Amino acid sequence: GEADVAAGEKAYQQVCRNCHGPKAQGMSAYPKLADKEADYLTERLETYRAGERIGPNSPLMIPFAQELSDEDIVNIVGYITTAFK
Amino acid sequence: GEADVAAGEKAYQQVCRNCHGPKAQGMSAYPKLADKEADYLTERLETYRAGERIGPNSPLMIPFAQELSDEDIVNIVGYITTAFK
C-alpha cells in the first residue's frame, strides 16, 4: 500500500536513528540506509523479523524488526527512501 | 536462583554491549551499568520488559527486555555486578 511517511518518520526517529543516525547516514558499525533501495530495505527487515541471523548485528536487529507490522515496514522504508534524497 | 554468569556474559556481550560498552562502562546517551546494584538492574529490566516507558531510551530497551526470561535477567545482572569489580 501507499507509505505513510510521517508514521515512518516517527518510528525511524524514535528507534532506528539511535544506531543508523538521524539522517540514516550510518554510524560506526551500523550501515548507512539513505542510499539503499526500497526492495533491499524491505527484504532485510522481513528477514530480521523472521528471526534469521544474517550478520553480526542480527541479535540487535531481530528484536526491533519483530515489533514491526507489514505497514510499519512500508512506512519506515517509504520514509528512509524519500526523506534524505 | 544462582546466576549462570557465563550465560549472562554471552547475552550481555551479544546485545547489551553495543550501547552500554564491553565493560558496562556506558557510552554517550547510554548509562554505565558496572556501578549499579543488582536490585536496581533487575527492577529496571523487569520494568522495561513490562513495556513501561520510563525514559528516552525506553523505545530501544523495551524490545530487548521483552526477549528476556527471569533466568536471563538473573544471569545478566549476575554478570554485570561481578565481572567489572
Side-chain angles (χ1 to χ4, degrees), chain B residues 29-51:
Chain B
Y30 309 117
K32 178 172 186 171
L33 302 177
D35 59 351
K36 301 293 188 302
E37 297 301 323
D39 291 348
Y40 171 83
L41 293 169
T42 301
E43 186 266 331
R44 291 289 281 204
L45 284 173
E46 289 171 348
T47 301
Y48 282 127
R49 184 171 63 180

Side-chain angles (χ1 to χ4, degrees), chain B:
Chain B
E2 194 54 43
D4 174 346
V5 172
E9 177 174 25
K10 186 166 179 292
Y12 180 91
Q13 294 297 341
Q14 194 171 41
V15 179
C16 320
R17 66 168 290 153
N18 287 284
C19 292
H20 294 287
K23 292 194 166 45
Q25 73 278 14
M27 288 200 295
S28 73
Y30 309 117
K32 178 172 186 171
L33 302 177
D35 59 351
K36 301 293 188 302
E37 297 301 323
D39 291 348
Y40 171 83
L41 293 169
T42 301
E43 186 266 331
R44 291 289 281 204
L45 284 173
E46 289 171 348
T47 301
Y48 282 127
R49 184 171 63 180
E52 274 182 57
R53 289 172 172 266
I54 36 180
N57 293 321
S58 296
L60 279 172
M61 276 303 296
I62 289 170
F64 289 130
Q66 286 177 337
E67 305 272 305
L68 302 177
S69 65
D70 290 341
E71 202 191 331
D72 292 330
I73 290 178
V74 169
N75 295 342
I76 291 168
V77 171
Y79 170 67
I80 292 173
T81 53
T82 56
F84 310 116
K85 289 290 181 296

Side-chain angles (χ1 to χ4, degrees), chain A residues 21-34:
Chain A
K23 293 196 166 39
Q25 72 279 16
M27 288 200 297
S28 73
Y30 309 116
K32 180 172 183 171
L33 303 176

Side-chain angles (χ1 to χ4, degrees), chain A residues 70-84:
Chain A
D70 290 341
E71 201 191 330
D72 292 331
I73 290 179
V74 169
N75 296 342
I76 292 169
V77 171
Y79 170 67
I80 292 173
T81 53
T82 56
F84 310 116

Side-chain angles (χ1 to χ4, degrees), chain A residues 12-51:
Chain A
Y12 180 91
Q13 294 297 342
Q14 194 171 43
V15 180
C16 319
R17 64 169 287 152
N18 287 284
C19 292
H20 294 285
K23 293 196 166 39
Q25 72 279 16
M27 288 200 297
S28 73
Y30 309 116
K32 180 172 183 171
L33 303 176
D35 59 351
K36 301 295 189 302
E37 298 300 323
D39 291 348
Y40 171 83
L41 293 169
T42 302
E43 186 268 332
R44 292 289 281 204
L45 284 173
E46 289 170 349
T47 302
Y48 282 128
R49 184 172 62 181

